[in-house]
Structure formats: structure tokens, C-alpha cells
Amino acid sequence: MLNGPYEYEHYTIRDAMFPALLHEDRLLPGYGILTNWHENLELLWFTKGKGLVIIDGVQIEAGPGDIVLVNSNCLHRVLCLEDLAYYCLIIDKNFCLRCGFPAEAVRLRSHIRDGLLRGNFKQIVRLLAEKPPYGKAEAQANILLLLTRLYRDFQEDSPEPEAAGPKNSQLVMVRGAIRFLNSSYQQSLTIDDICRQVGASKFHFCRVFRAVTGKTVVDYLNLLRCERAQSLLSTGACSVQEAAERCGFSSASYFSMVYKRQIGESPSATAKRGASQAARDLTAPSIPSGRG
């Protein structure tokens, strides 16, 4: 999996002059993206293979050319069915609101096949990759065109209200648990700690969490910790032991076993590749300043 330049749940739009984040993900069969949620609008444009997007428990199968939209505050995850590639565009909710698009009040259709939308998305990808003069301005114009078409033509006919009900209360509970895990994964945690945080019994919580995320709490936490460790090791800035300690594992041997099962390679292999990349970066020729 190629990790994008974003943080879980609270996406940081680092460029104040550009209201979106774009990254490409590639997944192999059996791998997927952890269940997550955020306030921003997210669009996935599938370019290769076949994937399954699960949004608040609803499954959407998508292939090349499909666009899957994740509305604000929806729990979602992606699973790979065949070698999968897709672009993920995350549009700042506040930008939508400033431009008059009701990002939270209106629900948009989740599965979209539309050539014009796909064309806008493709232009955004091209402009951000090629970086022509005024490319970001043109990309933002395409984002506005994309949003205009979405809110004009792809609103849900009968949007589901955020009503208090069994399904909604379960999703709220899982969102709270995921938020807690992402802020506390470095600590020693038990299921009882999480249940106290969300105010639920262990049996009920574990059953609902697995039904919504497709993973047990322990598997979810282990994968979360391993993905954080992967980010650390890929920089070449820390050892396997340090990554294990910083990501909440009690021993390096247990960390190595879990990491290989979750990521598909040993942490030492990731660390070696990260160190090699860091060394190449240090020895890369500098760019001339242009001053005589």
C-alpha cells in the first residue's frame, strides 16, 4: 500500500492555497485500507483491477472508470479483490461550505459512472502531477466544476437522516473507538479501556466493531500500529526496536511477528529499504542555485 500524505481522520490540508489532497493507492489481493472516517468529502477514482468499498456497512464493488464518493462523517474502508489502483481525492469540507456546497447537510450518491466527472478528476490528477504554470489554479477550477456537477445532478433522492437509531448509534460508537485508538495506540491498551471510553459492554462492543470494520479490535489495533511503524521505518530514521516502542509493542520479537503478518514483510526489510533511500537522498546531487 502506498501511504498518502494525510493523517487519519483529521486530514491536514497543508497548502492553504489549495483545498484538497490527492494520492494514489495500489493494493494487492487480500490487502485493504483500514476503516476510517473524517469530515471532508472523499472521491475514489478506480483505474485498475477490482475493489470493494464499504461505506457505513454498505458494500460497493468498483472497477476501472468507476467513481465512489464517501460523504462527510461516513465510516469507510477499501478492500482489494484484484490488483487494484485508484486515486483518492479529499476535498476540504470548509472549502465546500465557503463555496456554497452543503457538504454535511446533503448526501451525494456513492457509486457514480459519469464521463464528465471522470474527466474533471483526470484533469486534477494530471495538473497536480505535471505542475504547469498556474496548474493549481486550474486544478481548483476543476474541483469546483466537479463539485457543481455532484451537487446539481448526484444528490440522493431520499437522503438518510442522521436519526438516532440502532445502526446510527453503532456507527457513532465505532467512530469513537477508532478516534480513541488513533490517539492512544502508543499506549498499552486493553479492550476494557476502549469499552470504558465508548460506554459499552465488552460483548456488545466487540460484536459491533467487527461487524462494522471487518476486523477484531485486536487485529485493527495491530494493523494500525504496524502502519504507523511502517511510516517510521520507511524514513530510515529509527531502528526496529525504536519503532516497536514508539508504536505500542511490548517487545521487538512480538512486533516483528505481527508486522510480517500484517504488512507482508519483516520490519527489518522495511528499515533496510528506508535506510537505503535516505542514503540515496543524502548523496543526490544538489540543484544549482543559478547564481554566478
Side-chain angles (χ1 to χ4, degrees), residues 107-119:
R107 311 298 283 180
L108 298 170
R109 214 177 298 171
S110 294
H111 197 184
I112 300 170
R113 293 187 177 97
D114 182 81
L116 291 176
L117 280 176
R118 195 163 52 246

PDB file of all heavy atoms in Angstrom, residues 107-119:
ATOM      1  N   ARG A 107     -26.635  14.549   1.206  1.00  0.00           N
ATOM      2  CA  ARG A 107     -25.947  13.299   0.896  1.00  0.00           C
ATOM      3  C   ARG A 107     -25.880  13.116  -0.611  1.00  0.00           C
ATOM      4  O   ARG A 107     -26.870  13.286  -1.323  1.00  0.00           O
ATOM      5  CB  ARG A 107     -26.675  12.096   1.510  1.00  0.00           C
ATOM      6  CG  ARG A 107     -27.036  12.261   2.965  1.00  0.00           C
ATOM      7  CD  ARG A 107     -25.838  12.431   3.841  1.00  0.00           C
ATOM      8  NE  ARG A 107     -25.145  11.184   4.098  1.00  0.00           N
ATOM      9  CZ  ARG A 107     -24.049  11.110   4.857  1.00  0.00           C
ATOM     10  NH1 ARG A 107     -23.518  12.206   5.374  1.00  0.00           N
ATOM     11  NH2 ARG A 107     -23.473   9.943   5.065  1.00  0.00           N
ATOM     12  N   LEU A 108     -24.695  12.778  -1.080  1.00  0.00           N
ATOM     13  CA  LEU A 108     -24.482  12.536  -2.502  1.00  0.00           C
ATOM     14  C   LEU A 108     -24.460  11.042  -2.792  1.00  0.00           C
ATOM     15  O   LEU A 108     -24.174  10.232  -1.914  1.00  0.00           O
ATOM     16  CB  LEU A 108     -23.166  13.169  -2.953  1.00  0.00           C
ATOM     17  CG  LEU A 108     -23.090  14.696  -2.802  1.00  0.00           C
ATOM     18  CD1 LEU A 108     -21.674  15.180  -3.053  1.00  0.00           C
ATOM     19  CD2 LEU A 108     -24.071  15.395  -3.729  1.00  0.00           C
ATOM     20  N   ARG A 109     -24.762  10.697  -4.028  1.00  0.00           N
ATOM     21  CA  ARG A 109     -24.757   9.299  -4.439  1.00  0.00           C
ATOM     22  C   ARG A 109     -23.356   8.712  -4.284  1.00  0.00           C
ATOM     23  O   ARG A 109     -22.359   9.379  -4.547  1.00  0.00           O
ATOM     24  CB  ARG A 109     -25.203   9.205  -5.901  1.00  0.00           C
ATOM     25  CG  ARG A 109     -25.995   7.952  -6.236  1.00  0.00           C
ATOM     26  CD  ARG A 109     -26.451   7.984  -7.680  1.00  0.00           C
ATOM     27  NE  ARG A 109     -27.349   9.118  -7.941  1.00  0.00           N
ATOM     28  CZ  ARG A 109     -27.729   9.461  -9.159  1.00  0.00           C
ATOM     29  NH1 ARG A 109     -27.280   8.802 -10.211  1.00  0.00           N
ATOM     30  NH2 ARG A 109     -28.555  10.476  -9.328  1.00  0.00           N
ATOM     31  N   SER A 110     -23.285   7.465  -3.869  1.00  0.00           N
ATOM     32  CA  SER A 110     -21.986   6.860  -3.566  1.00  0.00           C
ATOM     33  C   SER A 110     -21.301   6.253  -4.776  1.00  0.00           C
ATOM     34  O   SER A 110     -20.069   6.307  -4.883  1.00  0.00           O
ATOM     35  CB  SER A 110     -22.142   5.791  -2.475  1.00  0.00           C
ATOM     36  OG  SER A 110     -22.530   6.377  -1.255  1.00  0.00           O
ATOM     37  N   HIS A 111     -22.055   5.653  -5.687  1.00  0.00           N
ATOM     38  CA  HIS A 111     -21.452   4.959  -6.827  1.00  0.00           C
ATOM     39  C   HIS A 111     -21.829   5.708  -8.095  1.00  0.00           C
ATOM     40  O   HIS A 111     -23.006   5.809  -8.432  1.00  0.00           O
ATOM     41  CB  HIS A 111     -21.936   3.513  -6.894  1.00  0.00           C
ATOM     42  CG  HIS A 111     -21.092   2.648  -7.761  1.00  0.00           C
ATOM     43  ND1 HIS A 111     -21.391   1.331  -8.021  1.00  0.00           N
ATOM     44  CD2 HIS A 111     -19.948   2.900  -8.455  1.00  0.00           C
ATOM     45  CE1 HIS A 111     -20.458   0.806  -8.814  1.00  0.00           C
ATOM     46  NE2 HIS A 111     -19.584   1.739  -9.094  1.00  0.00           N
ATOM     47  N   ILE A 112     -20.812   6.241  -8.784  1.00  0.00           N
ATOM     48  CA  ILE A 112     -21.076   7.127  -9.914  1.00  0.00           C
ATOM     49  C   ILE A 112     -20.286   6.661 -11.129  1.00  0.00           C
ATOM     50  O   ILE A 112     -19.088   6.380 -11.046  1.00  0.00           O
ATOM     51  CB  ILE A 112     -20.676   8.583  -9.567  1.00  0.00           C
ATOM     52  CG1 ILE A 112     -21.485   9.086  -8.361  1.00  0.00           C
ATOM     53  CG2 ILE A 112     -20.881   9.496 -10.765  1.00  0.00           C
ATOM     54  CD1 ILE A 112     -20.999  10.402  -7.807  1.00  0.00           C
ATOM     55  N   ARG A 113     -20.982   6.576 -12.259  1.00  0.00           N
ATOM     56  CA  ARG A 113     -20.330   6.364 -13.553  1.00  0.00           C
ATOM     57  C   ARG A 113     -20.707   7.542 -14.441  1.00  0.00           C
ATOM     58  O   ARG A 113     -21.832   7.622 -14.916  1.00  0.00           O
ATOM     59  CB  ARG A 113     -20.776   5.038 -14.179  1.00  0.00           C
ATOM     60  CG  ARG A 113     -20.328   3.800 -13.427  1.00  0.00           C
ATOM     61  CD  ARG A 113     -20.672   2.530 -14.206  1.00  0.00           C
ATOM     62  NE  ARG A 113     -20.184   1.329 -13.538  1.00  0.00           N
ATOM     63  CZ  ARG A 113     -20.936   0.562 -12.751  1.00  0.00           C
ATOM     64  NH1 ARG A 113     -22.206   0.893 -12.549  1.00  0.00           N
ATOM     65  NH2 ARG A 113     -20.421  -0.503 -12.184  1.00  0.00           N
ATOM     66  N   ASP A 114     -19.771   8.461 -14.639  1.00  0.00           N
ATOM     67  CA  ASP A 114     -20.084   9.681 -15.377  1.00  0.00           C
ATOM     68  C   ASP A 114     -18.812  10.182 -16.049  1.00  0.00           C
ATOM     69  O   ASP A 114     -17.808  10.452 -15.381  1.00  0.00           O
ATOM     70  CB  ASP A 114     -20.642  10.748 -14.440  1.00  0.00           C
ATOM     71  CG  ASP A 114     -21.021  12.020 -15.169  1.00  0.00           C
ATOM     72  OD1 ASP A 114     -22.110  12.059 -15.760  1.00  0.00           O
ATOM     73  OD2 ASP A 114     -20.212  12.968 -15.153  1.00  0.00           O
ATOM     74  N   GLY A 115     -18.850  10.314 -17.370  1.00  0.00           N
ATOM     75  CA  GLY A 115     -17.670  10.705 -18.120  1.00  0.00           C
ATOM     76  C   GLY A 115     -17.182  12.103 -17.807  1.00  0.00           C
ATOM     77  O   GLY A 115     -15.969  12.351 -17.768  1.00  0.00           O
ATOM     78  N   LEU A 116     -18.106  13.051 -17.569  1.00  0.00           N
ATOM     79  CA  LEU A 116     -17.689  14.425 -17.281  1.00  0.00           C
ATOM     80  C   LEU A 116     -16.974  14.515 -15.936  1.00  0.00           C
ATOM     81  O   LEU A 116     -15.938  15.182 -15.816  1.00  0.00           O
ATOM     82  CB  LEU A 116     -18.906  15.354 -17.307  1.00  0.00           C
ATOM     83  CG  LEU A 116     -19.540  15.581 -18.682  1.00  0.00           C
ATOM     84  CD1 LEU A 116     -20.792  16.438 -18.546  1.00  0.00           C
ATOM     85  CD2 LEU A 116     -18.538  16.228 -19.632  1.00  0.00           C
ATOM     86  N   LEU A 117     -17.524  13.843 -14.925  1.00  0.00           N
ATOM     87  CA  LEU A 117     -16.864  13.834 -13.620  1.00  0.00           C
ATOM     88  C   LEU A 117     -15.490  13.180 -13.708  1.00  0.00           C
ATOM     89  O   LEU A 117     -14.508  13.655 -13.124  1.00  0.00           O
ATOM     90  CB  LEU A 117     -17.725  13.087 -12.598  1.00  0.00           C
ATOM     91  CG  LEU A 117     -18.894  13.854 -11.978  1.00  0.00           C
ATOM     92  CD1 LEU A 117     -19.696  12.936 -11.077  1.00  0.00           C
ATOM     93  CD2 LEU A 117     -18.399  15.055 -11.189  1.00  0.00           C
ATOM     94  N   ARG A 118     -15.447  12.069 -14.441  1.00  0.00           N
ATOM     95  CA  ARG A 118     -14.172  11.375 -14.605  1.00  0.00           C
ATOM     96  C   ARG A 118     -13.162  12.279 -15.321  1.00  0.00           C
ATOM     97  O   ARG A 118     -11.975  12.288 -14.998  1.00  0.00           O
ATOM     98  CB  ARG A 118     -14.386  10.076 -15.373  1.00  0.00           C
ATOM     99  CG  ARG A 118     -13.221   9.116 -15.303  1.00  0.00           C
ATOM    100  CD  ARG A 118     -13.630   7.705 -15.710  1.00  0.00           C
ATOM    101  NE  ARG A 118     -14.302   7.656 -16.989  1.00  0.00           N
ATOM    102  CZ  ARG A 118     -15.574   7.313 -17.157  1.00  0.00           C
ATOM    103  NH1 ARG A 118     -16.322   6.982 -16.120  1.00  0.00           N
ATOM    104  NH2 ARG A 118     -16.114   7.283 -18.358  1.00  0.00           N
ATOM    105  N   GLY A 119     -13.646  13.063 -16.300  1.00  0.00           N
ATOM    106  CA  GLY A 119     -12.764  13.994 -16.996  1.00  0.00           C
ATOM    107  C   GLY A 119     -12.207  15.059 -16.074  1.00  0.00           C
ATOM    108  O   GLY A 119     -11.014  15.404 -16.140  1.00  0.00           O
TER     109      GLY A 119
END
